[in-house]
Amino acid sequence: MLKAAGAAAGAVGIGAGVGTAVPAAAAAADGPFAHPGLLHTRTDLDRMAAKVKAGARPYTAGFAKLTANRHAQRGWQANPQATVYRGSGTPENYRILYNDIHAAYQNALRYHVTGEEAHADTAVAILNAWSGKLTALEGSADRFLAAGLYGYQFANAAELMRDHGDFELGRARKLLLDVFHPLSDDFLTRHNGAVVTNYWPNWDLTAIACVLATGIFCDERAVVDRAVEYFKHGDGMGSVKHAIPVVHEDGLGEWVEAGRDQGHALLGVGLMGTVCEMAWNQGIDLYGYDDSRFLKGAQYVARWSLGGDVPYTANTRKKGAIGGWSGSETASDVAAADPAMTRPIWAMIANHYTKRRGLSASYLTRAAAKAAPEGGGGDYGPNSGGYDQLGYGTLAFTRDKAADPAAAMPSPSGRAGGVRPQGTVSASASPAAGRDLAATGSEEVVGWAAAAGVTAVAGGLLLLRRRGGTQ
C-alpha cells in the first residue's frame, strides 16, 4: 500500500523514426503515467530478475558489477543534510548526497533483481532520511548542476521503491517539487542570469532530466510537457538541435560539446539518453525526434571516443551576463579524445536503436561492448563525474531484438502537450536507407559480443566478430 497516492496525469508521444507508429491506445486522454516508469519499467525489472536467475549472460556479469559495489550493500547508513552546498558554501557537502542517492538506487535495483527485503529496507531508509531533512540546495552556479543531477537520480531511486509500504511517497514528491525542480526549471528559464548560450549543453540537459523525472514521478502533466518542449525547441544549448547543430552527409551528427572536451561530451550524451529513455517509457518518442537526430549525435561521439576521426564545424557562442559583461568563445575543432575514457552510458542508447528499433549503429555497439559490463556510481572514480550516471546498463538495458519494432513503443494513457499523437516520421535514420547510420565499416558490428558471452577483458582487449564489409 502506498502512503500517498499521486494525482493522475498522462503523457504519450509520436512514433518517430524507423516508420514506427504509436499504438492507438497511447492517444487516449487524461490517463495516468506508467509506474514504475522512469529509467525502468516493470517489464525491465522482471526481465533483469529472470535473466539473472537463469544465469544468462551478459546479465550475470552486469549483476556481478552491482553486487561488488560498496554502495549496493544492505545496511548503508544515510547522512542527510538540511542544506547541500555545491561550488561554494559551508560546508561543500554535495558528495554526501550523491553517494547516498547511488546507495539507494543500487540497493533498490538489487532488491528488484533478487527480492531480498534487506536491500529494499536499506533503499527506503536512505530515501526517507533525505526527504525528511533536505530543504535547500545552495552554492555557486554549480547548485543548478546539483539540482539537475541529483534530482533526476533521486527520482529514479524513489520510483523503484514507490510501492514499498514504508516509503514516504508524499515526502519524496514534496522534496522533488520544492527543492530540486524549482532550481532546474529556473535554470531553463533564466540560465542563472546569463545569456542563453553562456552554458554548454550539459547544464541544460541536467535540468531537463530533473524536470522530466519530477513530472513523471509526481504525476504532473505540465511539468513533463515543459521538459519535452524544451528538449525539442528550447533556446539553450541543451535542446537537441543546439546540442547537435550539424548533421553531416555521412549521417554523423556533430555534438557541439566535442569542441570543448571528451568528458563533458560523454556527460551530455549520457544525459540526453537518460531523458530519451524516461520519455520513451511514458510513450513519448524523443529518441526518434527529428529523424533520430540523437542517434546521429550519439554515433558521432561514440566514433570520436573510440579514436576515430570526425568533422567539426567551428562554433562561436556568446557568453556573459545579461546587462553585464559579455564576450564570445569559439570552438574551432574537435578536442582530443582518449579511447580509454569510458562512462556507463552506451548500453541504454545502443540497445534502444539496435534492439528496439532494428537499426544498425556500429559505433554505438562497439562503444557499448567496450564498456561492458557497465558499473555505476563508485566504479568510475571518487569524484562527482563518476556519479553523473546511475549506470548498470549491461544489466538493465540489454534486451532481445524486437520482432516488431512498432510493438516496442510503451502505451501509457494520456497525451503530453506539444507531442503529436500517432503518425510516422522518416523510415530511415541515415542517408542510405537500410545501411549503418554512418555508412562506414561493418553493417553489423557484432559488438554485441557481450550478448554472446564475450565482454571487455583486462587490458581493454575485446574480441569482435565481423559480418560483411570491413571495420
Side-chain angles (χ1 to χ4, degrees):
M1 294 292 294
L2 298 179
K3 287 185 175 283
V12 67
I14 61 173
V18 201
T20 305
V22 178
D30 301 323
F33 287 94
H35 297 293
L38 288 177
L39 285 175
H40 313 300
T41 66
R42 172 54 54 196
T43 299
D44 294 331
L45 297 170
D46 290 346
R47 180 184 65 248
M48 292 179 227
K51 293 290 190 180
V52 171
K53 183 178 181 180
R57 295 182 294 181
Y59 303 90
T60 50
F63 185 63
K65 289 288 288 187
L66 174 63
T67 58
N69 194 305
R70 70 183 183 91
H71 296 79
Q73 309 311 309
R74 63 188 181 184
W76 178 283
Q77 295 297 307
N79 183 18
Q81 309 290 306
T83 303
V84 165
Y85 300 92
R86 176 165 175 166
S88 63
T90 306
E92 191 180 6
N93 56 359
Y94 67 101
R95 294 171 182 82
I96 298 172
L97 175 58
Y98 67 65
N99 274 281
D100 278 0
I101 290 175
H102 281 259
Y105 173 77
Q106 291 179 26
N107 271 277
L109 201 58
R110 192 167 177 178
Y111 161 68
H112 280 286
V113 172
T114 66
E116 295 179 63
E117 290 291 340
H119 292 291
D121 293 342
T122 298
V124 167
I126 296 168
L127 295 165
N128 286 349
W130 278 95
S131 68
K133 189 163 185 177
L134 181 61
T135 58
L137 299 172
E138 302 288 352
S140 66
D142 283 5
R143 69 190 184 278
F144 294 107
L145 295 177
L149 289 167
Y150 313 139
Y152 95 76
Q153 292 173 1
F154 182 92
N156 270 276
E159 181 78 351
L160 292 178
M161 303 314 302
R162 68 184 296 136
D163 292 334
H164 192 281
D166 293 329
F167 177 60
E168 296 285 354
L169 178 59
R171 280 204 334 228
R173 284 168 50 91
K174 181 174 174 59
L175 178 61
L176 285 164
L177 289 170
D178 292 354
V179 178
F180 290 109
H181 171 263
L183 278 171
S184 290
D185 186 72
D186 184 72
F187 186 82
L188 295 179
T189 302
R190 299 180 179 84
H191 288 88
N192 196 32
V195 297
V196 72
T197 56
N198 183 76
Y199 291 96
W200 286 99
N202 71 87
W203 288 78
D204 270 358
L205 287 165
T206 63
I208 296 169
C210 177
V211 172
L212 180 62
T214 297
I216 295 169
F217 182 84
C218 298
D219 292 300
E220 294 285 347
R221 178 196 301 268
V223 177
V224 170
D225 293 350
R226 160 76 158 141
V228 170
E229 176 63 18
Y230 197 96
F231 176 94
K232 294 180 175 182
H233 305 299
D235 292 332
M237 298 280 283
S239 61
V240 66
K241 292 182 183 179
H242 289 123
I244 309 168
V246 179
V247 175
H248 295 279
E249 291 184 0
D250 63 359
L252 290 176
E254 187 173 299
W255 192 268
V256 68
E257 207 156 359
R260 181 187 184 189
D261 60 61
Q262 184 183 7
H264 285 97
L266 292 173
L267 170 60
V269 170
L271 287 167
M272 188 170 284
T274 295
V275 168
C276 289
E277 184 70 17
M278 293 189 297
W280 174 269
N281 286 333
Q282 297 301 328
I284 304 168
D285 186 8
L286 300 182
Y287 276 120
Y289 177 70
D290 193 28
D291 196 22
S292 299
R293 195 179 190 94
F294 174 53
L295 169 57
K296 299 167 186 179
Q299 279 271 81
Y300 176 100
V301 174
R303 173 180 166 85
W304 168 56
S305 292
L306 289 165
D309 293 331
V310 291
Y312 191 84
T313 306
N315 179 279
T316 300
R317 62 192 183 93
K318 293 181 179 179
K319 298 176 61 178
I322 296 174
W325 71 274
S326 63
S328 64
E329 179 179 73
T330 299
S332 58
D333 200 358
V334 69
D338 177 5
M341 182 183 291
T342 189
R343 290 290 184 269
I345 64 174
W346 298 114
M348 177 176 64
I349 304 167
N351 270 279
H352 173 80
Y353 286 115
T354 66
K355 302 300 181 66
R356 280 183 180 148
R357 283 286 171 79
L359 290 172
S360 177
S362 63
Y363 303 125
L364 283 175
T365 57
R366 287 174 58 193
K370 182 178 179 181
E374 289 181 355
D379 291 322
Y380 298 89
N383 298 321
S384 61
Y387 294 80
D388 287 342
Q389 286 85 35
L390 290 167
Y392 298 108
T394 305
L395 169 65
F397 302 111
T398 301
R399 61 185 75 247
D400 296 328
K401 197 165 188 174
D404 178 9
M409 187 71 177
S411 305
S413 300
R415 179 178 303 166
V419 183
R420 292 180 293 155
Q422 309 222 60
T424 59
V425 186
S426 170
S428 172
S430 74
R435 301 195 58 201
D436 178 69
L437 179 69
T440 59
S442 168
E443 283 303 300
E444 174 143 347
V445 176
V446 172
W448 292 119
V454 180
T455 55
V457 297
L461 296 176
L462 182 68
L463 299 177
L464 298 178
R465 292 186 291 115
R466 294 184 185 137
R467 235 176 63 187
T470 58
Q471 190 64 36

